[in-house]
Amino acid sequence: MRQELGIGLFGTGFMGRAHSNALINLRYGADIAAPRPRLVCVAGGTEERLWPLQERFGWEHATTDWRALARDERVQVFDNCGRNNLHAEPTLAAIEAGKHVICEKPLALDADQALRMLEAAEVAGVVHMCAFNYRFFPAIGLAKRMIEAGDLGDPTHFRSAFLIPSAVSDGPESEWRLQAAETGSGALGDLGAHHIDVARYLVGEIADVVGKTTIFVPERHGMEVEVDDAVEALGTFESGATAVWTASRAAAGHALQSRIEIDGTRGSLIFDLAKLNELRFSDGSGWKTIFCTRADDPDMDLWWPHGQGIGWGDSFVNQLRRAMVAVGAGESVAPRGATFRDGYRCAEVIDAILASAASGRRQAIAYRDAATVRSSG
Ligand SMILES: NC(=O)c1ccc[n+]([C@@H]2O[C@H](COP(=O)([O-])OP(=O)(O)OC[C@H]3O[C@@H](n4cnc5c(N)ncnc54)[C@H](O)[C@@H]3O)[C@@H](O)[C@H]2O)c1
């Protein structure tokens, strides 16, 4: 018999759907090596979005009161998919009620808030995960194993671009993403955060940054845009390797491009989300394409025989499986999963990029979590 874990989901938007879909996928199957998630209750701001989500994914209960969800005795895991300014308070309430916590990225509006979340989770001794789902693409997992095996030699460069058109197209755009009090930063925290976490995950800790932010379309949806439409940033890793990040909502030709390149003293890797099952590798003698859904991927038991490929949404299944296993075993989701420590450290990098953009100066990064982190990896 699989152990069962009661899940309380907060958020009925894009991520509410992605996480519900992943939990459904993990629900059935005696062969799935993870506790079975029970979809106890979903909470959201408005009933119009709540009830369709409840019906579609089979949540047992629904509420517009996230405080009730945070203290619901049937819930062991609180999964926060709310907008950014609703990450800290509901997650802290859930931690106070003794729940294990998953929170979407960026972990908080800023590093101070993220640090409070990390400290609270550590003191309470609950399992905590910041939902950086890129870590759960088979290609990123293989990149990690190749770098650790020395296939690239010593990493020298990390370059990434995350490009979407929402600032310059007529497509949908959540208004909360434009207001500083509700979102923190713009393209930086929304898109760039993924690539900052991948840079830390694959190459190592970041020591300093230089940033430039731009607002291209200052008024949208009848409101002033308060946060960056685009960011360009340079970084230096503690190892001496360098990073270049670009994230933009003003790239009209891209429905969504997310590309990561890593160079080292012996070889180079390229990941492109449009071909997420592939990794391109060159040792200098020419590029080869590696199909990544291989038996050495730790989640391929959930999926299809090698060569069939998985999809973007499937990374959330892999990620939430890791959370279920960690909660069941009472262990950290690290090192594969991102903890609140990773969410906090990413927030420090984001704050430093914003500070540099404001001052025009290079900004050293001072992580403040050393004294508080005990077990989160
Ligand atoms: N991991 C990823 O790839 C990824 C992708 C997109 C978004 N995200 C993150 O997920 C989070 C949610 O983003 P989204 O795209 O689902 O946003 P969204 O705009 O689609 O949904 C936001 C949700 O927040 C909740 N909410 C909004 N206002 C509320 C209120 N006043 N009271 C209570 N609840 C309210 C609602 O449930 C709403 O559906 C954000 O932090 C975002 O950064 C992560």
Side-chain angles (χ1 to χ4, degrees):
M1 274 287 280
R2 288 171 68 191
Q3 180 191 354
E4 196 167 72
L5 290 172
I7 314 294
L9 177 84
F10 175 50
T12 54
F14 177 26
M15 280 304 105
R17 271 192 297 137
H19 285 229
S20 297
N21 186 56
L23 290 165
I24 285 290
N25 203 303
L26 290 172
R27 196 154 71 160
Y28 303 104
D31 59 325
I32 294 181
R36 179 180 191 271
R38 180 177 153 211
L39 280 63
V40 171
C41 187
V42 57
T46 59
E47 295 192 355
E48 306 86 73
R49 292 179 80 172
L50 197 50
W51 311 139
L53 197 85
Q54 180 187 15
E55 191 188 34
R56 180 169 170 194
F57 295 103
W59 288 93
E60 292 169 24
H61 306 276
T63 176
T64 52
D65 180 2
W66 62 254
R67 288 178 177 80
L69 183 74
R71 56 176 184 265
D72 190 322
E73 287 184 359
R74 300 161 298 183
V75 168
Q76 280 94 53
V77 181
F78 184 85
D79 185 3
N80 191 335
C81 293
R83 63 189 187 199
N84 298 354
N85 68 324
L86 290 170
H87 285 187
E89 197 185 350
T91 303
L92 287 167
I95 291 170
E96 197 179 324
K99 314 299 183 197
H100 304 288
V101 283
I102 302 166
C103 186
E104 262 302 336
K105 47 56 58 182
L107 184 58
L109 292 175
D110 58 31
D112 288 350
Q113 214 177 50
L115 184 58
R116 280 201 295 280
M117 294 167 76
L118 167 62
E119 287 172 345
E122 284 285 302
V123 168
V126 299
V127 174
H128 44 94
M129 171 181 261
C130 182
F132 281 119
N133 63 304
Y134 271 58
R135 294 178 178 222
F136 293 87
F137 290 127
I140 297 295
L142 181 60
K144 174 101 173 142
R145 294 194 294 282
M146 289 175 72
I147 291 169
E148 286 175 352
D151 294 352
L152 271 66
D154 296 327
T156 50
H157 301 292
F158 178 97
R159 279 181 306 284
S160 70
F162 202 142
L163 310 172
I164 63 172
S166 63
V168 290
S169 74
D170 292 330
E173 184 178 53
S174 306
E175 293 176 6
W176 65 262
R177 286 186 155 88
L178 310 178
Q179 304 292 300
E182 293 182 12
T183 188
S185 64
L188 174 55
D190 192 17
L191 313 175
H194 279 295
H195 288 175
I196 291 168
D197 182 67
V198 172
R200 288 188 60 249
Y201 184 56
L202 295 183
V203 180
E205 208 54 83
I206 298 151
D208 64 46
V209 289
V210 176
K212 175 177 170 46
T213 55
T214 310
I215 296 175
F216 287 104
V217 187
E219 195 185 313
R220 302 205 285 280
H221 311 290
M223 58 172 69
E224 185 192 344
V225 176
E226 297 176 346
V227 293
D228 53 290
D229 284 332
V231 60
E232 271 86 25
L234 308 177
T236 313
F237 292 92
E238 286 177 355
S239 66
T242 60
V244 182
W245 296 278
T246 300
S248 177
R249 293 169 170 169
H254 296 277
L256 188 155
Q257 191 199 80
S258 174
R259 187 178 166 94
I260 294 166
E261 303 182 358
I262 302 171
D263 303 309
T265 52
R266 291 179 56 189
S268 299
L269 281 175
I270 298 175
F271 169 77
D272 183 344
L273 188 67
K275 295 183 175 178
L276 65 88
N277 291 293
E278 296 178 5
L279 206 52
R280 301 195 66 222
F281 173 72
S282 169
D283 61 5
S285 61
W287 288 93
K288 72 174 178 182
T289 301
I290 306 168
F291 206 76
C292 300
T293 55
R294 314 181 321 180
D296 58 353
D297 181 90
D299 288 314
M300 283 324 289
D301 60 318
L302 290 173
W303 305 110
W304 326 116
H306 180 49
Q308 314 294 324
I310 67 168
W312 171 84
D314 300 334
S315 65
F316 291 84
V317 182
N318 298 344
Q319 174 171 253
L320 289 175
R321 197 249 288 254
R322 178 68 204 120
M324 295 297 107
V325 169
V327 170
E331 65 189 23
S332 170
V333 300
R336 187 160 174 239
T339 63
F340 279 14
R341 178 188 185 203
D342 297 298
Y344 157 70
R345 289 194 163 212
C346 180
E348 282 289 7
V349 177
I350 288 172
D351 283 7
I353 291 171
L354 292 175
S356 168
S359 71
R361 296 205 183 90
R362 182 194 289 230
Q363 183 78 32
I365 300 170
Y367 299 107
R368 295 169 282 155
D369 56 320
T372 57
V373 174
R374 291 199 303 268
S375 61
S376 63

